[in-house]
Amino acid sequence: MSRPPRIAVRAVIVHDDWLLLVNAYPNRTDLWCAPGGGVEPHASLPDNLTRELHEETGLQATVGAVCLVNEFHDTARDYHQIDIYFRCTVTDPAIAGGWIDPEGVVAHRRWATRAELATMRVKPDALAAVAFGDADAISYDPLEPILR
């Protein structure tokens, strides 16, 4: 029997035309994604995202509307993840230089322009279009294979 899908929340934060990204895997900077992570039961999705964003970046954000639902899967590992992306805003985008993710996954954070995103490996594929596109649109990006 297959495992149930994992649910995660992620923050789409664009500040002055720069998108916040974090490394997707520990000790690697060749694949980038929006900050966030797995939800814990009995907490709302926005509360989970506020916690995850602070753990990974030290930033405090206001969580806004859902802008993207994305699915990743790896059939060989019986893994399926549903990511729910929210538009978020920060008043202070400065990330403390010595910030440490308590879970040890995120060690690299960066702000990137849309032009820079075109030269980087970023997942999901729809992230740039969602981040820099119509602020009122909601997108669905189905079943991308996980990159390793």
Side-chain angles (χ1 to χ4, degrees):
M1 182 162 182
S2 293
R3 294 186 293 173
R6 177 180 189 256
I7 299 173
V9 288
R10 300 206 173 270
V12 176
I13 302 173
V14 177
H15 187 82
D16 293 336
D17 292 324
W18 294 78
L19 175 65
L20 180 61
L21 299 170
V22 298
N23 61 288
Y25 292 110
N27 303 314
R28 287 178 53 185
T29 58
D30 62 331
L31 183 61
W32 296 87
C33 63
V39 301
E40 293 179 357
H42 312 294
S44 70
L45 297 177
D47 286 349
N48 272 287
L49 182 53
T50 299
R51 173 187 48 76
E52 283 289 338
L53 183 62
H54 186 262
E55 286 176 2
E56 293 183 358
T57 67
L59 295 176
Q60 298 293 327
T62 301
V63 178
V66 171
C67 58
L68 172 65
V69 175
N70 175 260
E71 296 181 82
F72 290 103
H73 72 125
D74 182 345
T75 55
R77 290 182 29 222
D78 188 28
Y79 187 80
H80 183 170
Q81 179 166 310
I82 301 166
D83 284 344
I84 303 166
Y85 290 73
F86 290 82
R87 292 196 187 281
C88 298
T89 57
V90 292
T91 53
D92 182 1
I95 298 170
W99 190 262
I100 297 174
D101 174 6
E103 292 185 11
V105 174
V106 173
H108 304 281
R109 303 139 190 97
R110 65 168 292 178
W111 292 92
T113 65
R114 187 171 193 163
E116 289 172 323
L117 289 176
T119 67
M120 300 167 64
R121 286 181 68 201
V122 177
K123 283 294 181 179
D125 294 340
L127 185 57
V130 168
F132 295 104
D134 181 355
D136 294 325
I138 299 175
S139 297
Y140 172 63
D141 195 5
L143 282 179
E144 287 190 39
I146 289 182
L147 294 181
R148 293 261 166 224

